[in-house]
Amino acid sequence: MSLIEVKDLKREFANDEVVTKVLKGISFKIEKGEFVSIMGPSGSGKSTLMHILGFLDKLSSGKFNFEGEDVSELEDDDLAEMRNKKIGFVFQSFNLLNRATALENVILPLLYSDMPKKEREKRAKDLLIDVGLEHRLHYSPNKLSGGEKQRVAIARALVNHPEVVFADEPTGNLDSKSGLQVMKILQELNEKGNTVILVTHERYTAEHAKRIIKLKDGEIVEDVEVIKRQLATQNGELTK
Amino acid sequence: MDLKENVISSLTMIKRTKMRSFLTMLGIIIGVMAVIVVMSVGKGAESLIFNQIKSMGSNLVGVLPGASEEDGPPASVFGIVNTSLKYEDGEEIIKKGCDCIESLAMYVSGNDVVNVEDNKINANFSGTTASYINVEDTEVGEGRFFTKEEEKGVAKVAVLGFEVVEKLFGDQDPIGRRIRIKKTNFLIIGAMKERGKSGFQNQDDQIFVPISTAQKLLLGVNHISLVRAKVDDEKNLDKALDSMTWILRDRHNIDVGEKNDFTINSMEQGLEALSSVTSALRLFLASVAAIALVVGGFGIMNIMLASVQERTREIGLRKALGAKRSHITMQFLIESSVITFLGGVIGVILGILISILTAKIVQVLGYDWDLVITPFSIILGAGVSIGIGLIFGIIPARKAAKLDPIEALRYE
């Protein structure tokens, strides 16, 4: 049983009677523990694909199985629950709440679960320590550097022990050194057995993954193993 | 996220935007405050009337000229002259009326310039009967009240109310002095003890003269404006009312089935008629206060809509992280009701303070005013304010809950 399986996945947007076909029948499988890059230029449909796989959007037609179950017909609230339990998101623009502390930001997804307060806090704290931010727990995000913000965001993505972590251009707003730190964390996560899906338009970033699915104009043009993989640990040291 | 966490997070939000939150609350603060004050003042005014009635005695029956409108007082109360009531009517009641009528006083009143040597004031005078002292249960401080003979004989004598003495003579003894009203000289034969203000009537600023003198020399009329009878026991009020009604109907030649051309009431009935006026007034004021609350509600809605707009990305993020529609709806509803509830609490506190202040001021002015703040009005104020938050928060909250997470996250 694959973790993710899509067959002939289509997504169309109707706007003023003009129908835009963004995804034109896509099929692939992703197994548990994989590290996949979804790559393509802007307009290729990679964001839309990530939204569907991340339960943020619905498909127009086709099949989408998650952990062997058909999830193509879920309603809004079911999608919200899937996001809450199975998915972790890391966004290009971090999307942290500035009026909350780093710790509170990491706790945020757990507020929508039924975990007791103490456990929520402990889990969030542990994760922030894991990403090297134990000295920033009670800082507001606007006092953190870009790299630190993205590490808070990664801790937030992991706090619900998700099945899949989606990273949407996670290095896009970072300098190269902070970018490497983030990639290193993602690679380490994958080493520990997490499934990571990276969405990017850069081949160099994409090559940090083990497999690349390349999209163009809503279709898969390439689905290959990465032969010469970039390892973040070789290029930069993680500084605290 | 439970209620407590939601409330705490709303409070943090309010703390972050103090000025805006306060302005948002203002409508609610004013509305709730107005409700509390209107209720308290209404009750206070009622207590004022009630206390007045009690101080005058609840065993009094009054007759006013003119038929009474339904539920309301007769036109004569509002100064419209009706000449149907005569001195002889009163005399007849004393002669033929029920034995339960202990005594009866008649009144006609006016207002004119009063001279004492060079001292001139504008004063109210009451033409009344010798029985005034008995019916009104009051006393003469110095000198004496006029007699039955003087009452009938157009005697030029006057008894001064407490305040009039102060104004005209200061510390001097007024007895034996003369005052001049409308070219007529009056001998002052007495000065009343202080009675204090009782409601709308101030008995201390009156000059009392025999009723026949007032009619013939001062006013040039032959009617009277009020009859007041004292009944020996409250139990006999109905009996007295009955006998007076029949005597007056007989004297005024009113046929069976025709309406009275006078209005006869016990104090209690008068109170009821009056309280229908005060409660109508209270209803009016309360609805003004309610409008303030509704306006405040729209203010809340406006700000919450702006807040939803402003926090579109936050909402998108929360949804991406797994918040369901109900979570977002709850968050915004709780936020709006926390704002309105805080406004309500501030409004209740201010309302109570103003009510206390009003009562103190009125009491200092010498009125018998009770401070009444009912728990009901407090609960109402607080409850209504939360309710307004919920009602006017629904539209913004639903708007927030309906946002599409993808679009909301892209929002700049």
Side-chain angles (χ1 to χ4, degrees):
Chain A
M1 179 189 74
S2 306
L3 179 65
I4 292 173
E5 183 175 2
V6 290
K7 239 184 223 155
D8 199 24
L9 175 81
K10 285 182 185 157
R11 183 67 171 107
E12 300 164 355
F13 293 98
N15 202 350
D16 293 335
E17 292 170 29
V18 182
V19 178
T20 318
K21 290 181 181 170
V22 178
L23 295 175
K24 302 168 182 167
I26 281 177
S27 307
F28 60 83
K29 288 181 188 177
I30 293 173
E31 305 298 329
K32 199 168 160 53
E34 275 197 77
F35 190 168
V36 183
S37 281
I38 297 175
M39 202 184 109
S42 59
S44 61
K46 61 183 191 301
S47 289
T48 304
L49 180 59
M50 185 201 83
H51 290 150
I52 291 173
L53 298 181
F55 300 102
L56 281 165
D57 198 2
K58 294 177 197 169
L59 47 159
S60 302
S61 69
K63 267 267 173 280
F64 174 17
N65 286 358
F66 191 89
E67 293 181 310
E69 270 178 64
D70 183 6
V71 289
S72 12
E73 310 269 324
L74 290 184
E75 292 301 316
D76 284 355
D77 274 359
D78 300 318
L79 291 175
E81 201 169 327
M82 290 301 276
R83 293 197 289 273
N84 191 239
K85 294 213 161 69
K86 309 284 187 188
I87 307 293
F89 286 109
V90 179
F91 304 95
Q92 178 176 1
S93 52
F94 323 127
N95 280 321
L96 300 172
L97 295 182
N98 279 326
R99 65 186 157 90
T101 62
L103 184 64
E104 284 164 348
N105 267 291
V106 177
I107 290 173
L108 198 59
L110 300 180
L111 292 181
Y112 302 111
S113 70
D114 36 20
M115 190 181 287
K117 199 174 175 207
K118 277 217 174 111
E119 205 184 325
R120 292 195 308 231
E121 254 174 50
K122 189 182 175 300
R123 227 195 231 193
K125 215 182 252 178
D126 289 347
L127 276 163
L128 279 169
I129 293 169
D130 284 351
V131 296
L133 290 175
E134 66 266 38
H135 57 305
R136 295 278 191 262
L137 292 181
H138 302 292
Y139 275 54
S140 155
N142 46 27
K143 296 220 174 73
L144 301 178
S145 71
E148 286 172 328
K149 281 184 194 174
Q150 199 58 299
R151 280 188 270 155
V152 173
I154 291 172
R156 182 180 64 194
L158 297 174
V159 79
N160 56 344
H161 293 173
E163 292 297 328
V164 190
V165 174
F166 284 93
D168 183 7
E169 304 276 12
T171 59
N173 283 2
L174 299 177
D175 60 73
S176 57
K177 196 174 168 196
S178 306
L180 279 174
Q181 287 174 10
V182 166
M183 293 315 297
K184 179 174 181 267
I185 292 172
L186 290 178
Q187 285 181 337
E188 280 170 1
L189 274 177
N190 179 243
E191 293 306 312
K192 285 184 210 155
N194 286 288
T195 312
V196 179
I197 298 178
L198 180 66
V199 179
T200 182
H201 66 283
E202 286 176 342
R203 179 158 285 277
Y204 169 73
T205 309
E207 281 173 350
H208 286 78
K210 291 174 181 163
R211 173 183 167 195
I212 295 180
I213 297 175
K214 194 174 172 191
L215 289 184
K216 199 182 170 193
D217 296 331
E219 285 170 47
I220 295 181
V221 291
E222 201 182 309
D223 185 350
V224 290
E225 296 277 319
V226 177
I227 300 159
K228 192 167 170 271
R229 195 174 173 220
Q230 303 285 347
L231 288 177
T233 39
Q234 294 171 342
N235 300 304
E237 272 304 310
L238 186 68
T239 51
K240 286 183 183 177
Chain B
M1 187 140 78
D2 59 17
L3 190 67
K4 196 177 126 202
E5 283 172 313
N6 258 318
V7 170
I8 290 170
S9 109
S10 310
L11 286 173
T12 344
M13 193 69 206
I14 290 165
K15 227 162 62 187
R16 251 170 35 106
T17 54
K18 281 194 199 84
M19 191 62 187
R20 180 206 276 192
S21 304
F22 173 73
L23 290 175
T24 312
M25 282 176 202
L26 207 56
I28 303 295
I29 293 176
I30 292 171
V32 169
M33 187 180 79
V35 168
I36 304 262
V37 171
V38 163
M39 285 195 163
S40 167
V41 168
K43 288 276 177 200
E46 241 174 52
S47 76
L48 181 71
I49 298 164
F50 185 73
N51 291 337
Q52 175 204 5
I53 303 298
K54 272 205 302 204
S55 75
M56 289 173 81
S58 50
N59 53 345
L60 293 179
V61 174
V63 184
L64 289 165
S68 58
E69 300 303 320
E70 257 176 54
D71 295 331
S76 57
V77 167
F78 304 114
I80 294 162
V81 178
N82 184 307
T83 58
S84 62
L85 214 53
K86 302 283 191 292
Y87 181 79
E88 291 72 28
D89 291 334
E91 294 282 270
E92 192 81 355
I93 292 170
I94 297 168
K95 227 183 287 172
K96 296 190 186 158
C98 151
D99 290 339
C100 58
I101 297 170
E102 228 171 50
S103 58
L104 178 142
M106 289 176 267
Y107 305 76
V108 63
S109 55
N111 179 294
D112 218 309
V113 177
V114 178
N115 288 295
V116 182
E117 286 143 20
D118 291 340
N119 203 351
K120 245 188 214 181
I121 63 163
N122 205 322
N124 300 313
F125 55 83
S126 282
T128 184
T129 50
S131 50
Y132 171 85
I133 292 277
N134 194 355
V135 171
E136 300 264 332
D137 209 10
T138 177
E139 274 175 76
V140 176
E142 284 174 82
R144 60 174 181 88
F145 209 74
F146 44 81
T147 62
K148 191 82 189 164
E149 287 68 38
E150 285 165 331
E151 169 197 321
K152 290 190 171 182
V154 201
K156 294 172 188 171
V157 293
V159 178
L160 304 186
F162 186 80
E163 278 176 24
V164 181
V165 175
E166 275 190 345
K167 274 188 209 157
L168 286 176
F169 298 99
D171 292 339
Q172 296 173 324
D173 183 9
I175 312 293
R177 305 277 294 267
R178 287 183 184 275
I179 57 171
R180 192 176 167 82
I181 311 172
K182 270 199 175 173
K183 293 178 191 166
T184 307
N185 280 310
F186 287 84
L187 175 69
I188 299 169
I189 56 168
M192 303 301 289
K193 272 193 176 167
E194 186 173 8
R195 286 188 75 186
K197 289 184 189 119
S198 52
F200 325 102
Q201 275 179 311
N202 184 354
Q203 302 281 351
D204 288 334
D205 72 352
Q206 300 278 324
I207 296 171
F208 301 96
V209 298
I211 191 161
S212 57
T213 317
Q215 283 179 322
K216 286 177 182 136
L217 299 179
L218 298 181
L219 296 167
V221 299
N222 69 347
H223 65 266
I224 58 173
S225 51
L226 171 69
V227 171
R228 198 171 265 167
K230 188 179 183 181
V231 180
D232 58 359
D233 197 313
E234 275 181 57
K235 282 185 297 192
N236 293 330
L237 275 175
D238 284 341
K239 229 159 103 186
L241 279 171
D242 248 22
S243 88
M244 287 166 77
T245 305
W246 287 115
I247 291 167
L248 288 173
R249 282 181 72 92
D250 184 42
R251 279 190 52 82
H252 294 186
N253 295 319
I254 297 167
D255 288 337
V256 179
E258 266 181 69
K259 268 173 81 179
N260 292 342
D261 65 349
F262 54 89
T263 301
I264 181 163
N265 267 327
S266 66
M267 275 299 179
E268 257 171 279
Q269 290 167 321
L271 178 66
E272 276 164 29
L274 211 57
S275 73
S276 76
V277 176
T278 56
S279 62
L281 196 68
R282 205 161 68 203
L283 195 72
F284 168 72
L285 290 173
S287 45
V288 171
I291 289 170
L293 279 175
V294 172
V295 171
F298 282 108
I300 298 286
M301 188 153 86
N302 186 22
I303 291 297
M304 291 311 291
L305 282 172
S307 176
V308 168
Q309 183 91 2
E310 205 178 62
R311 285 150 72 189
T312 301
R313 277 182 79 100
E314 176 193 328
I315 296 161
L317 173 72
R318 286 177 183 270
K319 290 194 104 174
L321 298 181
K324 294 179 181 172
R325 277 181 181 216
S326 55
H327 290 124
I328 303 291
T329 310
M330 273 295 273
Q331 186 194 340
F332 279 89
L333 273 187
I334 287 172
E335 205 169 300
S336 60
S337 2
V338 166
I339 289 180
T340 52
F341 178 71
L342 283 181
V345 169
I346 297 173
V348 165
I349 292 169
L350 287 180
I352 290 175
L353 289 179
I354 291 177
S355 303
I356 293 173
L357 201 68
T358 310
K360 288 277 177 254
I361 290 171
V362 177
Q363 281 163 4
V364 166
L365 289 177
Y367 291 100
D368 202 350
W369 178 285
D370 294 347
L371 172 62
V372 191
I373 296 164
T374 52
F376 173 72
S377 64
I378 293 171
I379 293 166
L380 187 78
V384 163
S385 61
I386 292 183
I388 281 181
L390 290 176
I391 291 168
F392 287 93
I394 283 175
I395 290 176
R398 285 180 60 100
K399 196 183 164 205
K402 268 197 221 152
L403 285 177
D404 177 56
I406 299 168
E407 276 168 35
L409 276 172
R410 280 194 195 130
Y411 182 85
E412 294 296 334

